[in-house]
Amino acid sequence: MANKRPTGKRPTGKRIDEPTGTETVGHEWDGIEELDTPMPRWWLWTFYLTIVFAIFYVIAFPAWPMVDRATQGVLGWSSRGQLAKEMSAADLARQDVRDRLARIPIERLPDDSALMAQAVAGGNAAFKVNCVQCHGSGAAGSQNLGYPNLNDDDWLWGGDLRAIEYTLTHGIRQAGHDETRMSIMPAFEGMLEPAQVEAVVGHVLSLSGKAEGSALGAQTFADNCAVCHGARGEGSREFGAPNLSDAIWLRGSTREDIRRQVLNPRLGMMPKWEGRLDPVTIKMLAAYVHSLGGGEDFVEVAEDPAVEVDEQP
């Protein structure tokens, strides 16, 4: 009986494969032998070059980690050092803008459109850090909490750049600060009869066309409210008294909202940013708030040639 050749893997001696002239590695599987084909020269040279590059990199650049730092490298380069240089250059550029903002009167800021744009961008960043907690990310405010909407064109104390800057600097009803914006609305609970209260609520709504007025409401308003809000409810920025005729409401526009405000007014407070933020940041915030859509022109500066930009370096 003839011997049957086994299949599978078995060790064999190395030999030269006749068709290719390549030495085998001595492995066979089901009649298939593995050839010891050498690596291509381009691959070997690439591999050698990576070794040379690695040696150069370890010597030239930070490479070996130590306890609190890495080896310095003979070139003295580091990613931290490069970042520090780039940040230093950025700081210098920002400082140049801040120096220019510090020198220019805020009334003249719109004359320099490029500087105004940079001030608005800086104010936007400062607003996100310091103001969104009350006024919201879109500066729309909140009627429930009494935070003004900064996007409309209704201003209690003035909406030009200088007025906004003053409000930011000194705050509103900031206790212990003599220069703060200050207004007080008395509580009319107990001072007015219920019928007078309902009548004056109706009169306030009638000023913006939301209800029918009455003679009693008009008289009650004239006797108790017109001194601050004006005879037609147009308001007064001198006292921070809101305009009641424009249908823009700080504390709500329902009869209940207005009744509650007449009887027990809720008075908001904004902190003064003087001492918390530097004057240039406050100026940038004023520029940003002014740019939101309701900012007003400052007309006095056109009549005051003494207000000039300090162009000295």
Side-chain angles (χ1 to χ4, degrees):
M1 183 175 179
N3 292 330
K4 187 177 181 181
R5 185 178 179 182
T7 60
K9 187 175 182 180
R10 63 183 178 86
T12 63
K14 293 184 179 182
R15 66 179 185 82
I16 300 299
D17 181 62
E18 292 181 4
T20 63
T22 304
E23 185 181 30
T24 65
V25 298
H27 297 159
E28 178 187 339
W29 189 274
D30 284 342
I32 300 174
E33 291 183 296
E34 181 181 355
L35 301 182
D36 190 11
T37 304
M39 300 295 293
R41 285 190 177 277
W42 67 265
W43 194 97
L44 288 173
W45 281 112
T46 302
F47 177 66
Y48 297 149
L49 286 174
T50 60
I51 295 175
V52 173
F53 174 79
I55 295 173
F56 169 77
Y57 189 94
V58 168
I59 296 173
F61 296 97
W64 293 102
M66 303 174 70
V67 176
D68 58 350
R69 67 188 67 184
T71 54
Q72 296 298 310
V74 296
L75 297 182
W77 178 92
S78 69
S79 57
R80 290 185 179 182
Q82 181 177 353
L83 175 62
K85 290 180 181 179
E86 293 175 356
M87 292 183 65
S88 178
D91 288 341
L92 287 175
R94 284 194 295 268
Q95 189 58 47
D96 176 65
V97 172
R98 293 181 66 86
D99 289 344
R100 292 167 60 197
L101 284 170
R103 293 195 300 267
I104 189 171
I106 195 167
E107 300 89 348
R108 290 295 187 191
L109 187 53
D111 296 344
D112 189 331
S113 59
L115 188 59
M116 180 67 173
Q118 290 171 315
V120 170
N124 184 11
F127 187 90
K128 291 177 180 178
V129 174
N130 300 283
C131 310
V132 297
Q133 296 86 347
C134 294
H135 292 285
S137 58
S142 169
Q143 284 192 356
N144 290 333
L145 300 175
Y147 300 135
N149 182 351
L150 303 178
N151 298 291
D152 59 32
D153 57 359
D154 197 54
W155 301 90
L156 293 178
W157 304 96
D160 63 73
L161 282 166
R162 186 161 66 178
I164 297 171
E165 182 187 41
Y166 186 95
T167 301
L168 288 166
T169 301
H170 300 292
I172 298 173
R173 302 184 187 92
Q174 175 69 67
H177 184 58
D178 293 338
E179 296 179 84
T180 190
R181 303 283 199 188
M182 179 60 70
S183 64
I184 298 294
M185 176 175 170
F188 285 96
E189 186 173 22
M191 297 175 60
L192 299 177
E193 298 294 330
Q196 291 178 302
V197 172
E198 294 305 315
V200 80
V201 168
H203 180 76
V204 169
L205 286 170
S206 74
L207 294 174
S208 56
K210 300 297 183 182
E212 293 293 332
S214 66
L216 177 59
Q219 187 61 50
T220 304
F221 186 90
D223 292 342
N224 299 277
C225 312
V227 64
C228 292
H229 291 284
R232 297 181 300 277
E234 67 275 15
S236 170
R237 291 180 176 180
E238 180 182 0
F239 304 112
N243 185 343
L244 303 178
S245 62
D246 58 7
I248 297 176
W249 305 91
L250 179 61
R251 292 285 186 173
S253 58
T254 68
R255 295 187 70 92
E256 179 57 32
D257 291 330
I258 299 172
R259 183 186 302 109
R260 180 169 55 179
Q261 194 66 9
V262 169
L263 295 175
N264 291 290
R266 293 161 292 171
L267 305 177
M269 189 279 289
M270 187 183 88
K272 70 180 183 72
W273 291 102
E274 182 182 46
R276 303 186 185 194
L277 299 176
D278 60 86
V280 171
T281 300
I282 292 175
K283 186 177 289 186
M284 290 192 293
L285 269 173
Y288 174 70
V289 172
H290 186 272
S291 74
L292 290 175
E296 301 173 342
D297 293 333
F298 185 80
V299 295
E300 291 181 31
V301 67
E303 302 171 0
D304 185 5
V307 179
E308 297 178 351
V309 178
D310 181 5
E311 297 179 344
Q312 298 298 318

